[in-house]
């Protein structure tokens, strides 16, 4: 049985790089993959962007109201390589989803159906919590139903393992605001350990 995998970590833990490496590994063995991401992630437009500078176009973008299983099926039915082969559509061997935290819980349920009912492994990459330490709805659902959970580790500026994602606006830490603000010119993020996060926030967590 194919499985749903959730590979998560704080920002800068190599999630997108790991996804692109997984895609390369499949394709090196002659297998077809579909790369996908939520439309909420506007960084790179219709591309997956690794912090190492590697980019690759996605095959499908999920809008918040999209039926993910239907979108994967539709994308899989069209094979851009078929004209160079024998005209046959190759089966999809794996679906790789970047920024999976931005999916809705219903869309995560669809990913499980893709794995279990359609027999296609799904590798979802994302972060668990936002800058306020609250779980993203998509990540919370993945933690509940994924067959396999794998933490991708990164390091805080102090050398400890980073677990939180702190938001900076114009270089200053902020601890309130909307859950989603894409990394860009004015908004940036820093991965922090619990100690450094509490130091920057004055000892407060969002639940206080």
């Amino acid at each position: 049985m194919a499985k749903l995998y959730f590979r998560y970590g704080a920002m800068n833990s190599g999630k997108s790089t790991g996804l692109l490496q997984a895609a390369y590994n499949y394709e090196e063995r002659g297998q077809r993959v579909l790369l996908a991401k939520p439309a909420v992630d506007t960084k790179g437009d219709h591309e997956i962007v690794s912090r190492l500078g590697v980019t690759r176009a996605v095959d499908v973008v999920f809008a918040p109201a999209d039926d993910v299983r239907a979108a994967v099926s539709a994308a899989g039915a069209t094979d851009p390589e078929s004209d160079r082969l024998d005209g046959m559509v190759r089966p999809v061997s794996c679906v790789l989803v970047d920024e999976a935290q931005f999916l809705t819980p219903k869309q995560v349920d669809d990913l499980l159906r893709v794995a279990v009912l359609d027999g296609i492994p799904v590798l979802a990459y994302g972060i668990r919590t936002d800058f306020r330490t609250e779980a993203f709805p998509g990540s919370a659902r993945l933690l509940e139903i994924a067959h396999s959970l794998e933490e991708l580790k990164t390091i805080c500026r102090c050398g400890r393992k980073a677990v939180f994602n702190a938001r900076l606006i114009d270089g200053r830490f902020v601890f309130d605001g909307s859950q989603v603000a894409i990394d860009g010119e004015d908004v940036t993020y820093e991965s922090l350990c619990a100690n450094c996060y509490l130091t920057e926030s004055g000892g407060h967590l969002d639940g206080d």
Side-chain angles (χ1 to χ4, degrees), residues 189-207:
Y189 293 88
E190 183 178 348
S191 304
L192 299 176
C193 69
N195 183 72
C196 288
Y197 184 94
L198 289 171
T199 299
E200 294 294 346
S201 68
H204 296 289
L205 293 172
D206 190 65

Side-chain angles (χ1 to χ4, degrees), residues 1 8 42 45-46 56 61 71 74 82 108 139 143 150 152 165 168 177 182 194 197-198 202:
M1 181 184 71
Y8 64 90
T42 56
D45 195 18
H46 284 58
R56 175 167 168 172
V61 175
S82 61
V108 172
S139 298
L143 290 167
E150 179 184 350
L152 305 176
N165 307 292
L168 299 93
I182 302 301
Y197 184 94
L198 289 171

Side-chain angles (χ1 to χ4, degrees), residues 3 16 24 28-30 32 37 51-52 54 57 70 81 84-85 98 101 134 148-149 155 162:
K3 296 180 180 181
S16 296
Y24 176 84
E28 188 179 37
R29 290 159 178 78
R32 182 185 176 200
K37 74 173 188 176
R51 292 184 183 273
L52 294 182
V54 181
E81 296 292 319
R84 295 196 295 169
L85 298 170
D98 198 28
Q101 71 272 7
E134 292 184 344
S148 175
L149 302 173
I155 302 300

